[in-house]
Amino acid sequence: RKEVEQDPGPFNVPEGATVAFNCTYSNSASQSFFWYRQDCRKEPKLLMSVYSSGNEDGRFTAQLNRASQYISLLIRDSKLSDSATYLCVVKGNNRLAFGKGNQVVVIP
Amino acid sequence: GAVVSQHPSRVICKSGTSVKIECRSLDFQATTMFWYRQFPKQSLMLMATSNEGSKATYEQGVEKDKFLINHASLTLSTLTVTSAHPEDSSFYICSARDTGSSYNEQFFGPGTRLTVL
């Protein structure tokens, strides 16, 4: 079983709509959780950390469910500039494990 | 925010040659740097953890004699792909951990796209 699993999509989203996706992780001892954004042929960039109580940053909301070992990301009022691949990242044993990413395509 | 640079950004080489990639932390010291590889439509895979002044720690399945890592200073780590072959063609990304930050955040370089003909 992979450390971090994500459905690669693509997720085709009309502009202005809401899209949500999640990932699952296998290591129950994982300590920290993040969502990164990766644009085509670029390096990943930190979008937001994910806290146990859930957290929001503008149009982005992240949730963590430790019992079920999954993390979710919700994007409200999608913009064309949100088109990217969103990587679920889990930290444990002092190293980061990356999912394949959820590809989001926002359609005008 | 902290900046990590990589050089070169793109390299095309013939099979059998060696390629060196540099990773530099520009405005912070990094005791630890990480080297990742990403194939198309795949996740970033950690290849090795580079520690300043000591030997790198390689992930399972990564040949240390093929991927030579040197972390000679607190701001520079190099990855040398020796005797490169077409299957080594990939996107190589480094990241550096800010030693002075209480959050130990990792910052990624812009990546190096290697194409081996």
Side-chain angles (χ1 to χ4, degrees), chain B:
Chain B
V3 178
V4 175
S5 70
Q6 270 185 251
H7 177 80
S9 57
R10 178 176 296 218
V11 58
I12 301 172
C13 68
K14 291 182 180 178
S15 186
T17 59
S18 293
V19 175
K20 181 189 279 189
I21 303 170
E22 293 186 349
C23 177
R24 292 181 187 273
S25 57
L26 298 184
D27 52 1
F28 65 97
Q29 293 186 331
T31 307
T32 306
M33 291 185 175
F34 304 87
W35 287 97
Y36 297 84
R37 181 169 53 182
Q38 186 177 34
F39 293 106
K41 297 193 183 296
Q42 300 296 314
S43 56
L44 271 76
M45 295 300 297
L46 179 64
M47 299 175 66
T49 302
S50 169
N51 300 295
E52 186 268 337
S54 64
K55 290 183 180 179
T57 304
Y58 289 82
E59 294 298 302
Q60 193 173 12
V62 178
E63 300 174 54
K64 61 180 182 180
D65 294 329
K66 180 167 179 64
F67 299 99
L68 302 178
I69 291 173
N70 186 289
H71 193 155
S73 79
L74 286 171
T75 58
L76 173 64
S77 175
T78 61
L79 168 69
T80 301
V81 183
T82 61
S83 186
H85 290 286
E87 58 266 28
D88 297 323
S89 298
S90 187
F91 190 44
Y92 291 84
I93 306 175
C94 74
S95 73
R97 180 181 289 160
D98 185 348
T99 308
S101 164
S102 56
Y103 295 105
N104 266 184
E105 187 174 348
Q106 274 184 241
F107 299 94
F108 286 85
T112 297
R113 194 160 298 280
L114 170 64
T115 303
V116 184
L117 303 175

